[in-house]
Amino acid sequence: GIQVEQSPPDLILQEGANSTLRCNFSDSVNNLQWFHQNPWGQLINLFYIPSGTKQNGRLSATTVATERYSLLYISSSQTTDSGVYFCAVEWSYNQGGKLIFGQGTELSVKP
Amino acid sequence: GAGVSQSPSNKVTEKGKDVELRCDPISGHTALYWYRQSLGQGLEFLIYFQGNSAPDKSGLPSDRFSAERTGGSVSTLTIQRTQQEDSAVYLCASSLTDQETQYFGPGTRLLVL
């Protein structure tokens, strides 16, 4: 099957700092999603990004499918950005949209 | 509804009992997914529905786990003879089709004593 690896596993930032989270995957994918899991456990969609670049406010994401990685950029971080960020992919050899998740990056933003 | 809803939000049960977890997807979404999140295993896929059919059940851990979907809408995940290792958060997601963004519900936290 496909492997999904996220780095770093943990990250501590001061409020206002910028960060880059990385997701590497081992095979071709049909789609890729980034999620933020807040402290209450809710998974919130950030981006649906099988390729290219998207931006939404202080967040942006880039996926280079041919090189099998995706990056999530967080600029001017805020304490509300704290939580776990997951990358999830749909492997091209699966049917039906089943997502394979990475282990996540746990982000803590200090005031 | 506005989003995916799940019930109950929390469930505590005794080992050996059966439990039923419910998922109400976003109206009009044809694809529905169940995942499980536990400390040791991360987020794992359990089963996928397209309409009322389940073309992919590959993630169900054992034959104690089953799921159904009726009317192309509500889904129920049933765990029979629960074991302590079944303790986890069970998450449901839906998408317009199986190639679209998946939206997750708040989950059901299951604790088996």
Side-chain angles (χ1 to χ4, degrees):
Chain A
I2 191 170
Q3 306 300 315
V4 182
E5 295 181 357
Q6 292 185 243
S7 60
D10 304 281
L11 186 58
I12 300 174
L13 298 176
Q14 283 299 126
E15 200 167 25
N18 303 328
S19 62
T20 301
L21 281 56
R22 187 176 180 102
C23 172
N24 291 334
F25 42 96
S26 60
D27 206 341
S28 63
V29 299
N30 290 334
N31 66 61
L32 184 148
Q33 286 188 243
W34 282 98
F35 296 91
H36 175 214
Q37 189 167 42
N38 66 22
W40 296 271
Q42 176 72 52
L43 274 169
I44 299 164
N45 291 288
L46 297 177
F47 295 101
Y48 174 94
I49 186 166
S51 64
T53 296
K54 291 186 177 179
Q55 180 153 9
N56 185 2
R58 296 182 295 103
L59 303 182
S60 64
T62 295
T63 297
V64 184
T66 53
E67 297 187 20
R68 298 180 182 166
Y69 73 88
S70 184
L71 302 174
L72 177 69
Y73 304 95
I74 305 174
S75 65
S76 304
S77 58
Q78 300 176 358
T79 56
T80 52
D81 295 332
S82 296
V84 183
Y85 290 80
F86 288 101
C87 163
V89 304
E90 181 197 349
W91 189 30
S92 295
Y93 298 94
N94 275 332
Q95 292 182 343
K98 163 185 174 180
L99 290 177
I100 307 298
F101 283 80
Q103 291 302 304
T105 292
E106 185 162 7
L107 174 64
S108 178
V109 181
K110 304 296 187 186
Chain B
V4 178
S5 60
Q6 293 186 244
S7 60
S9 52
N10 293 283
K11 177 73 176 178
V12 180
T13 190
E14 294 178 349
K15 178 181 171 181
K17 302 277 187 170
D18 298 352
V19 296
E20 283 191 354
L21 312 179
R22 177 186 169 107
C23 172
D24 281 272
I26 294 171
S27 178
H29 281 195
T30 64
L32 185 148
Y33 305 83
W34 284 96
Y35 296 86
R36 178 169 75 170
Q37 185 173 27
S38 56
L39 280 175
Q41 300 299 321
L43 271 152
E44 307 172 283
F45 166 82
L46 297 177
I47 187 169
Y48 152 62
F49 286 92
Q50 178 59 48
N52 293 334
S53 302
D56 189 348
K57 306 178 183 179
S58 62
L60 294 178
S62 75
D63 59 7
R64 297 186 295 104
F65 288 72
S66 62
E68 65 176 10
R69 189 179 185 194
T70 55
S73 180
V74 172
S75 176
T76 302
L77 177 69
T78 300
I79 309 173
Q80 295 179 310
R81 305 181 302 282
T82 52
Q83 303 295 312
Q84 288 180 333
E85 62 262 28
D86 299 335
S87 296
V89 178
Y90 290 82
L91 293 160
C92 176
S94 71
S95 58
L96 193 58
T97 70
D98 61 12
Q99 297 292 324
E100 306 264 351
T101 303
Q102 292 184 29
Y103 296 90
F104 280 76
T108 293
R109 284 165 176 72
L110 175 66
L111 178 61
V112 182
L113 300 176

